[in-house]
């Protein structure tokens, strides 16, 4: 039968083939697949001596990754293709045939627990919000799964939108707060699509890619380059365009040690705004009194904080942290920027 549900808002988190996105006619621009990949968990009677990750051959790539369970391995094949075969059922017979064609052996694989296929189609919706409908996760963006970034990106979508929806539904914030969801998350997904396209390119066969890989291999021996790429893939360097009065604003707050025996993240578990007063004389009591803001007075154990993508900075006198862990304000004195941040986000 049919069931009808009514709500103030709808969040479409229904995957890359999102029915909600299609029913609303929301565009999903991007690039079509250029590689075809298969993945499976299997048993190998004659496995390689060591894990093989991204082994390149003239007609594609393959990977063999052992699991903790004896004999079980994850195997992956990737080959260039002009066809988008995502809808074609994935079979173990096709996987073995493709794997052998690329690797020259199938390591006597058998007993698959699952077999699936994927590709490098990369698409991103133009808007994350359509009236009272919001897109999140793969419904908003798809890409080659290099680095497992899809999980990070989708969970961060949900956390970014979730606390804002709660604030609006509970009457604590105006509906305009929900517009910041697109403003903050769309650029993040755009960067993920770009870096996964680059990683797919580096995996292609041929002498031109060989030359590119040699140059990139040399570049990543430079610590600054390695750090930049690592922070990008792990999404630890994300900075929302909230403000620039302090280098921490917009970034994920560091999990710094505090002199009361706690750490900063300890105080984020209630998913409420947190105002950290890290200097005893910071006059913020009246700002937090009678509000939903948790005021925490504690001094940092270390005067310098390490911030991914930024480096070491002096610990500020105060920090206002949104429920998603991103800094809405940081500074040395109670100023107009703090009051504006309280009004905007809290």
């Amino acid at each position: 039968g049919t069931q009808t549900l009514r709500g103030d808002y709808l969040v479409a988190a229904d995957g890359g083939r999102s029915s909600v996105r299609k029913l609303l006619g929301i565009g999903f621009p991007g690039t079509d697949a250029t590689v075809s990949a298969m993945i499976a968990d299997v048993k190998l009677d004659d496995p390689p001596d060591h894990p093989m990750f991204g082994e390149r051959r003239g007609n594609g790539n393959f990977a063999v990754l052992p699991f903790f369970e004896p004999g079980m391995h994850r195997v992956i094949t990737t080959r260039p293709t002009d066809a988008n075969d995502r809808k074609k059922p994935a079979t173990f017979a096709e996987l073995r045939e493709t794997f052998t064609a690329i690797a020259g052996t199938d390591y006597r694989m058998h007993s698959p627990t699952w077999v699936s296929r994927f590709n490098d189609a990369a698409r991103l919706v133009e808007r994350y919000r359509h009236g009272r409908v919001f897109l999140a996760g793969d419904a908003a963006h798809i890409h080659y799964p290099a680095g497992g970034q899809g999980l990070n990106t989708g969970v961060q979508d949900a956390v970014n939108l979730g606390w804002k929806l709660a604030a609006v539904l509970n009457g604590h914030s105006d509906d305009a707060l929900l517009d910041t969801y697109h403003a903050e998350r769309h650029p993040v997904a755009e960067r993920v699509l770009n870096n996964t396209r680059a990683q797919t390119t580096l995996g292609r066969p041929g002498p031109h890619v060989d030359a590119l890989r040699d140059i990139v291999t040399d570049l990543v021996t430079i610590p600054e380059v390695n750090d930049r790429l690592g922070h990008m893939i792990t999404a630890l360097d994300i900075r929302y365009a909230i403000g620039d009065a302090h280098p921490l604003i917009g970034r994920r707050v560091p999990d710094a040690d505090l002199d009361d025996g706690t750490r900063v993240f300890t105080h984020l578990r209630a998913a409420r705004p947190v105002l950290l007063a890290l200097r005893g004389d910071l006059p913020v009591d009246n700002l937090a009194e009678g509000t939903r803001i948790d005021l925490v007075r504690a001094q940092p154990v270390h005067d310098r904080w390490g911030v991914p993508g930024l480096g070491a900075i002096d610990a500020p006198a105060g920090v206002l942290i949104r429920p998603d862990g991103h800094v809405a304000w940081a500074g040395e004195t109670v100023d107009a920027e703090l009051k504006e941040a309280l009004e905007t986000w809290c």
Side-chain angles (χ1 to χ4, degrees), residues 197-217:
R197 286 186 180 114
Q199 292 185 71
T200 306
T201 299
L202 286 168
R204 300 187 193 284
H208 290 83
V209 177
D210 289 343
L212 178 61
R213 287 172 64 91
D214 287 344
I215 292 174
V216 173
T217 299

Side-chain angles (χ1 to χ4, degrees), residues 8-9 162-174 271 292:
D8 293 320
Y9 299 97
W163 75 268
K164 295 171 182 176
L165 273 173
V168 172
L169 290 170
N170 288 323
H172 301 143
S173 295
D174 185 83
R292 298 177 300 109

Side-chain angles (χ1 to χ4, degrees), residues 28 37-39 50 69 118 145 226 228 238 260 285 321 327 332 346:
F28 203 32
M38 297 191 73
I39 184 171
H50 57 86
E69 183 180 346
F118 59 95
N226 201 10
R228 174 75 67 86
I238 291 174
D260 62 359
D285 293 308
I321 311 168
V327 176
E332 300 304 314
C346 305

Side-chain angles (χ1 to χ4, degrees), residues 13-316:
D14 53 342
R17 304 176 190 179
S18 169
S19 297
V20 175
R21 188 186 66 232
K22 293 175 181 177
L23 286 169
L24 289 176
I26 297 170
F28 203 32
T31 51
D32 292 332
T34 65
V35 300
S36 176
M38 297 191 73
I39 184 171
D41 291 345
V42 301
K43 289 185 177 180
L44 302 181
D45 284 345
D46 188 21
D49 295 333
H50 57 86
M52 306 180 74
F53 185 82
E55 295 287 323
R56 294 170 68 239
R57 297 290 187 268
N59 58 344
N61 303 345
F62 71 95
V64 182
L65 308 172
F67 285 161
F68 290 111
E69 183 180 346
M72 289 300 298
H73 293 73
R74 174 158 294 176
V75 295
I76 306 171
T77 64
T78 307
R79 55 189 173 83
T81 180
D82 293 327
N84 188 343
D85 57 1
R86 183 68 187 270
K87 294 182 180 179
K88 180 183 175 182
T91 66
F92 182 53
E94 181 188 357
L95 171 69
R96 289 186 64 184
E97 179 182 354
T98 302
F99 195 98
T100 303
I102 298 173
T105 178
D106 69 355
Y107 297 108
R108 295 174 61 193
M109 65 176 67
H110 61 91
S111 305
T113 57
W114 65 288
V115 182
S116 184
R117 68 171 76 251
F118 59 95
N119 58 46
D120 67 329
R123 300 189 177 280
L124 174 63
V125 293
E126 294 177 348
R127 298 290 306 174
Y128 276 40
R129 179 179 189 180
H130 297 261
R132 295 185 296 133
V133 177
F134 300 86
L135 299 169
D138 291 352
H141 41 74
I142 59 170
H143 53 84
Y144 189 74
Q149 296 177 82
L151 175 59
N152 256 359
T153 311
V155 170
Q156 290 168 358
D157 286 348
V159 174
N160 186 287
L161 177 60
W163 75 268
K164 295 171 182 176
L165 273 173
V168 172
L169 290 170
N170 288 323
H172 301 143
S173 295
D174 185 83
D175 178 87
L177 177 67
L178 300 175
D179 290 332
T180 66
Y181 171 58
H182 168 86
E184 292 179 353
R185 295 305 300 167
H186 189 274
V188 171
E190 198 167 37
R191 187 175 73 155
V192 170
L193 264 64
N194 281 341
N195 84 59
T196 54
R197 286 186 180 114
Q199 292 185 71
T200 306
T201 299
L202 286 168
R204 300 187 193 284
H208 290 83
V209 177
D210 289 343
L212 178 61
R213 287 172 64 91
D214 287 344
I215 292 174
V216 173
T217 299
D218 182 53
L219 289 175
V220 295
T221 64
I222 302 171
E224 291 81 2
V225 175
N226 201 10
D227 287 347
R228 174 75 67 86
L229 293 175
H231 292 146
M232 176 177 65
I233 299 300
T234 56
L236 291 176
D237 66 345
I238 291 174
R239 186 182 190 186
Y240 297 140
I242 295 174
D244 55 10
H246 190 279
L248 266 182
I249 296 176
R251 299 182 186 273
R252 188 165 174 261
V253 67
D255 190 19
D257 292 301
L258 303 176
D259 68 351
D260 62 359
T262 67
R263 298 173 68 93
V264 171
F265 284 8
T266 306
H267 303 284
L268 303 182
R269 293 172 183 166
R272 291 158 55 90
V274 174
L275 182 55
L276 278 180
L278 300 171
R279 198 177 62 209
D281 61 348
L282 195 67
V284 293
D285 293 308
N286 63 319
L287 295 177
E289 185 176 353
T291 71
R292 298 177 300 109
I293 302 168
D294 291 337
L295 175 61
V296 177
R297 284 195 175 275
Q299 294 189 14
V301 172
H302 305 289
D303 294 333
R304 301 276 287 174
W305 284 359
V307 183
L310 181 61
I313 65 169
D314 292 332

